[in-house]
């Protein structure tokens, strides 16, 4: 029996021994302490993430996934007549949202809970990959990685903890890598790797760039060095996952709107990409000291992060400089370097960067860096005879404390005044510019339904992006838009399309036009 456990599971004799001690009537106190500590930290992080998300209003991208999950609870399992985004999220966010909606119904809390779960999963996977070796577990490595990823910067947290993002597919691929590295049985190892890679690609095509291609390149490099069949198996499994994902997507026949073709950056925009990449790195680590008041607390915090960022850049540079095909290296080392460099240079030379918000495409690099620094970037530390763990623990506490946002303040979900107004005035079905539509539906817990529309500058028409075709057959009698003129939905295009409203209401930067009859037939289909 013991041999079967060792064959199918992870190679960790300490765990097996502790189980045998427990079975024989003994008590493994160290195991109990570890489980307790893990549980306490997990709960603390989960509630910190939830508390942080309460400061952030939900947006229509995230709300759309809640509504897709709700459609699935009503039998529309394959999202017929839905328009998705560039990724389906079908096997990542939608699956988890489906479970939550089945229990809670439509509520913005689903976005908060699910996002916290995804991030928490990624944190522990990075900690595991950083510390786990075939000989045991390096606490010092895991401490460093934990300090870099557990409490992300305000920008990173604001993106990751506010709905569908690449963080969910990142969790899947980290699990795939864990199984590939530490499961002993080949059949189990490659089956799990194939499954997780495939479902990740079904949900998020970006996985091809931040996981599949780096894995293929890594395996090619290691095969050149070692000429071992296992590297060919990884290449075949990686390619197979990509082909299988395309077959599955073809069968499911999701309606995925095109957003254009990925291209190399235009020559005149190279400088812009470089500037955005530098600003993006500073933003990811909250390390932008430029223009800050020298003696202010915020600048001092940013200064600590700036030193951290420079240290990380140096360690990555040093690793690349010392990289050699003639030098034997383990798979994780090669993979992390390949993935970090591919993600960064892909961003640098493509047409993806348009503004600072595009920095979200560098999230995979950020996560890989935390593993790399923890596992390979920390040399032996011995200051005044102190133990390495103590020194790293102190450094980690300093890093974490500078990233923590309002740690002792309990946040409450802010009321969406527009959603409240619509509910109180019994306005049940209407249109809205994209960022004033699906979020209102979810904020109102489904009591109000606001369908996204856009304009060509002349008339209002359906916005077929993260939306449902049959919504536009519904009778509606109001429209919501804000003063940002998003999608050219404004006073002029609204009145030109639907005529003068019966009522006009203004709430902060939002305007609500109401008619005493349905305006749906005047919508340009």
């Amino acid at each position: 029996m013991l041999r079967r456990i060792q064959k199918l599971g992870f190679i960790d004799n300490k765990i097996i021994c502790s189980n045998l001690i427990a079975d024989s009537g003994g008590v493994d106190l160290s195991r109990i302490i570890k489980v307790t500590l893990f549980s306490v930290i997990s709960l603390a992080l989960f509630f910190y993430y939830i508390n942080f998300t309460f400061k952030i209003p939900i947006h229509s991208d995230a709300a759309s996934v809640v509504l897709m999950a709700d459609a699935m609870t009503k039998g529309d399992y394959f999202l017929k007549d839905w328009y998705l985004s560039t990724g389906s999220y079908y096997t990542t966010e939608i699956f988890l949202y489906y479970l939550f909606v089945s229990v809670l119904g439509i509520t913005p809390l689903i976005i908060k809970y699910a996002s916290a779960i995804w991030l928490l999963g990624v944190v522990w996977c990075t900690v595991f990959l950083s510390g786990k070796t075939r000989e045991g577990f390096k606490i010092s490595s895991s401490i460093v990685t934990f300090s870099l990823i557990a409490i992300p910067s305000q920008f990173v947290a604001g993106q990751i903890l506010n709905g569908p993002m690449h963080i969910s597919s990142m969790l899947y691929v980290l699990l795939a890598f864990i199984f590939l590295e530490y499961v002993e049985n080949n059949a189990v190892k490659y089956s799990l790797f194939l499954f997780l890679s495939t479902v990740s690609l079904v949900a998020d095509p970006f996985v091809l760039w931040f996981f599949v291609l780096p894995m293929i390149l890594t395996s090619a490099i290691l095969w050149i060095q070692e000429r071992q069949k296992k590297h060919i198996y990884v290449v075949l499994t990686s390619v197979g996952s990509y082909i299988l994902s395309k077959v599955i997507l073809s069968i499911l026949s999701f309606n995925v709107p095109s957003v254009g073709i990925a291209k190399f950056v235009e020559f005149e925009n190279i400088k812009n990409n470089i500037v955005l990449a530098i600003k993006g790195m500073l933003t990811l680590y909250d390390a932008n000291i430029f223009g800050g008041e020298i003696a202010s607390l915020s600048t001092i915090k940013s200064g600590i992060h700036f030193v951290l960022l420079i240290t990380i850049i140096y360690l990555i540079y040093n690793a690349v400089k010392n990289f050699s095909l003639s030098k034997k290296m383990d798979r994780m080392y090669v993979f992390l370097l390949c993935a970090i460099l591919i993600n960064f240079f892909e961003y640098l030379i493509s047409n993806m960067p348009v503004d600072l918000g595009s920095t979200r495409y560098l999230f995979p690099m950020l996560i890989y860096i935390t593993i790399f620094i923890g596992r390979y970037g920390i040399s032996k530390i011995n200051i005044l005879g102190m133990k390495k763990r103590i020194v790293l623990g102190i450094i980690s506490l300093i890093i974490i404390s500078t990233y923590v946002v309002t740690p002792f303040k309990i946040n409450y979900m802010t009321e969406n005044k527009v959603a409240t107004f619509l509910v109180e005035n019994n306005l049940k079905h209407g249109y809205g510019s994209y960022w004033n539509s699906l979020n209102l539906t979810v904020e109102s817990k489904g009591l109000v339904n606001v369908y996204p529309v856009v304009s060509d500058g002349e008339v209002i028409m359906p916005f077929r992006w993260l939306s449902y075709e049959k919504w536009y057959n519904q009778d509606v009698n109001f429209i919501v838009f804000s003063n940002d003129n998003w999608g050219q939905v404004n006073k002029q295009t609204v009145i030109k399309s639907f005529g003068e409203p019966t009522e006009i209401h203004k709430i902060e930067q939002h305007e609500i036009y109401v008619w005493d009859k349905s305006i749906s037939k005047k919508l340009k289909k």
Side-chain angles (χ1 to χ4, degrees), residues 335-352:
F335 171 78
L336 291 172
L337 268 186
C338 289
I340 289 167
L341 295 175
I342 287 175
N343 191 199
F344 182 73
F345 284 104
E346 167 206 2
Y347 180 86
L348 204 60
I349 65 173
S350 74
N351 63 345
M352 287 192 302

Side-chain angles (χ1 to χ4, degrees), residues 129 188 335 384:
L129 284 168
V188 175
F335 171 78
L384 300 176

Side-chain angles (χ1 to χ4, degrees), residues 130-144:
S130 176
K132 177 67 177 173
T133 67
R134 292 182 179 274
E135 293 76 35
F137 196 87
K138 293 183 178 179
I139 299 296
S140 55
S141 295
S142 62
I143 288 173
V144 171

Side-chain angles (χ1 to χ4, degrees), residues 192-220:
L192 289 172
F193 181 80
L194 176 65
F195 172 74
L196 287 167
S197 300
T198 301
V199 296
S200 301
L201 285 161
V202 168
D204 184 0
F206 192 35
V207 170
L208 173 67
W209 299 98
F210 70 73
F211 183 70
V212 176
L213 287 181
M215 184 60 70
I216 291 173
L217 180 58
T218 298
S219 300

Side-chain angles (χ1 to χ4, degrees), residues 455-475:
S455 171
D456 59 2
E458 295 292 328
V459 293
I460 304 293
M461 62 187 72
F463 186 48
R464 293 183 171 93
W465 174 272
L466 293 174
S467 60
Y468 183 49
E469 183 64 32
K470 292 184 180 179
W471 283 343
Y472 302 104
N473 298 326
Q474 173 70 45
D475 285 335

Side-chain angles (χ1 to χ4, degrees), residues 157-355:
Q159 295 281 329
I160 289 176
L161 293 172
N162 200 21
M165 188 51 64
H166 304 298
I167 195 73
S168 55
S169 49
M170 196 75 214
L171 175 59
Y172 281 34
V173 301
L174 290 176
L175 288 171
F177 197 90
I178 288 172
F179 292 134
L180 182 64
E181 280 290 292
Y182 300 110
V183 171
E184 191 73 357
N185 184 284
N186 282 338
V188 175
K189 172 193 299 188
Y190 292 118
S191 295
L192 289 172
F193 181 80
L194 176 65
F195 172 74
L196 287 167
S197 300
T198 301
V199 296
S200 301
L201 285 161
V202 168
D204 184 0
F206 192 35
V207 170
L208 173 67
W209 299 98
F210 70 73
F211 183 70
V212 176
L213 287 181
M215 184 60 70
I216 291 173
L217 180 58
T218 298
S219 300
I221 291 171
L222 294 178
W223 184 82
I224 291 171
Q225 289 184 332
E226 303 171 8
R227 293 293 198 275
Q228 292 185 11
K229 289 182 179 178
K230 64 181 182 180
H231 303 307
I232 296 176
Y233 295 155
V234 174
V235 171
L236 293 175
T237 309
S238 299
V239 173
S241 68
Y242 178 73
I243 295 172
L244 190 56
S245 69
K246 290 297 183 184
V247 172
I248 293 172
L249 286 170
S250 176
I251 293 171
L252 294 174
S253 299
F254 291 132
N255 192 341
V256 179
S258 173
V259 292
I261 302 171
K263 298 178 181 179
F264 284 107
V265 60
E266 297 285 346
F267 184 80
E268 57 269 21
N269 291 331
I270 292 175
K271 180 182 176 182
N272 181 61
N273 275 22
I274 294 172
V275 171
L276 280 175
I278 295 171
K279 285 184 177 179
M281 291 297 293
L282 292 170
T283 303
L284 286 176
Y285 287 92
D286 190 19
N288 194 350
I289 60 174
F290 302 100
E293 185 181 338
I294 294 176
S296 71
L297 181 61
S298 61
T299 304
I300 292 171
K301 287 183 178 181
S302 297
I304 294 173
H305 303 159
F306 185 77
V307 172
L308 173 66
L309 177 58
I310 295 299
T311 304
I312 288 171
I313 292 171
Y314 169 76
L315 291 171
I316 298 296
Y317 165 76
N318 198 49
V320 173
K321 186 180 71 172
N322 294 326
F323 187 89
S324 172
L325 287 176
S326 61
K327 195 184 296 183
K328 190 172 182 179
M329 295 164 286
D330 66 79
R331 174 160 45 204
M332 193 180 302
Y333 182 90
V334 179
F335 171 78
L336 291 172
L337 268 186
C338 289
I340 289 167
L341 295 175
I342 287 175
N343 191 199
F344 182 73
F345 284 104
E346 167 206 2
Y347 180 86
L348 204 60
I349 65 173
S350 74
N351 63 345
M352 287 192 302
V354 291
D355 54 29

